[in-house]
Amino acid sequence: DTGVSQDPRHKITKRGQNVTFRCDPISEHNRLYWYRQTLGQGPEFLTYFQNEAQLEKSRLLSDRFSAERPKGSFSTLEIQRTEQGDSAMYLCASSANWDSAFFGQGTRLTVV
Amino acid sequence: AQSVTQLDSQVPVFEEAPVELRCNYSSSVSVYLFWYVQYPNQGLQLLLKYLSGSTLVESINGFEAEFNKSQTSFHLRKPSVHISDTAEYFCAVSRTNRDDKIIFGKGTRLHILP
């Protein structure tokens, strides 16, 4: 098992464009989390899934953000009409139990 | 809602000296507590966790943390730091009464001085 995989590692996009990130969790992990991290801050919770069900969404997740986890395996996070304030590192984590979350390397988004 | 406060954004310490990274949490219910570490250019890794039982928990690389319910703290300590401990350390909390997400503090950057 190679751990949690995120793609792409870096993304530069123009303001107003849509972007989609992918996360492949550790196999058989039923929980998957998305976090956002900006410079000097800790990871901020965005949303999480138990299998294919999205259990909670943070108020940070505006209507421009949507996450899916079809079939309870990989997950995608889409940001529509990107804004400069969306520039951040987007982190994905997975766990078999709630108590041991394993993180990917993250996708660094830069909106210009 | 639960929250985590890491009082120090940066902690400089000389190599082989002891260090303490402070973490306080706030929650109206019982919690689980974690320390994660992020080495330069790497992802977050779980360092240690408190779930129940002994209030003193240890990691494999010499760090330890003690859960203090009365002071709502979970400070991280190491008696002698090494240059390889240079990293950002994040304290985190989740509630025990339901399946819950993990909430992180803002992090403390540990800077080891030669």
Side-chain angles (χ1 to χ4, degrees):
Chain A
D1 197 332
T2 56
V4 178
S5 176
Q6 292 189 246
D7 183 69
R9 292 289 307 278
H10 304 274
K11 178 70 176 180
I12 301 174
T13 191
K14 291 184 179 179
R15 190 162 46 113
Q17 297 294 304
N18 299 344
V19 294
T20 300
F21 309 141
R22 177 180 170 121
C23 172
D24 286 274
I26 293 171
S27 58
E28 299 180 358
H29 276 191
N30 54 5
R31 298 198 133 212
L32 188 147
Y33 308 81
W34 285 101
Y35 288 83
R36 181 174 67 188
Q37 187 177 21
T38 53
L39 269 177
Q41 301 294 317
E44 297 173 297
F45 170 76
L46 294 179
T47 188
Y48 77 112
F49 294 83
Q50 175 88 9
N51 299 312
E52 66 274 13
Q54 189 171 18
L55 296 187
E56 187 173 343
K57 291 171 61 174
S58 165
R59 281 173 287 182
L60 292 174
L61 221 60
S62 74
D63 291 344
R64 297 184 297 104
F65 288 72
S66 63
E68 294 182 342
R69 193 183 182 197
K71 302 179 183 179
S73 56
F74 72 92
S75 176
T76 58
L77 178 68
E78 181 183 17
I79 310 174
Q80 296 182 326
R81 306 181 303 281
T82 51
E83 301 172 356
Q84 287 189 322
D86 297 332
S87 295
M89 179 75 86
Y90 290 84
L91 301 172
C92 177
S94 71
S95 68
N97 303 299
W98 50 266
D99 66 341
S100 299
F102 293 84
F103 281 81
Q105 298 273 54
T107 293
R108 182 170 296 284
L109 173 66
T110 303
V111 182
V112 298
Chain B
Q2 70 275 39
S3 66
V4 176
T5 301
Q6 293 183 248
L7 295 167
D8 305 302
S9 60
Q10 291 190 70
V11 172
V13 61
F14 286 103
E15 196 170 13
E16 298 183 6
V19 69
E20 178 180 84
L21 306 183
R22 297 180 292 170
C23 171
N24 288 88
Y25 69 91
S26 173
S27 176
S28 58
V29 298
S30 298
V31 296
Y32 299 121
L33 293 156
F34 311 87
W35 277 99
Y36 280 79
V37 59
Q38 190 169 31
Y39 297 106
N41 300 315
Q42 293 189 29
L44 280 159
Q45 303 173 35
L46 180 66
L47 185 62
L48 47 77
K49 61 187 178 185
Y50 169 77
L51 306 179
S52 64
S54 172
T55 57
L56 185 66
V57 290
E58 299 177 351
S59 73
I60 57 173
N61 58 352
F63 282 94
E64 65 179 30
E66 186 161 20
F67 170 53
N68 188 319
K69 188 175 181 180
S70 63
Q71 297 186 4
T72 61
S73 69
F74 191 56
H75 301 329
L76 182 70
R77 301 184 183 97
K78 189 171 185 179
S80 176
V81 296
H82 188 266
I83 194 75
S84 60
D85 294 323
T86 298
E88 188 139 22
Y89 293 79
F90 295 94
C91 184
V93 63
S94 69
R95 293 176 290 185
T96 65
N97 65 342
R98 51 175 283 187
D99 291 340
D100 203 12
K101 72 272 189 185
I102 300 173
I103 299 298
F104 287 83
K106 292 187 175 183
T108 298
R109 185 169 297 278
L110 180 59
H111 182 46
I112 309 299
L113 305 169

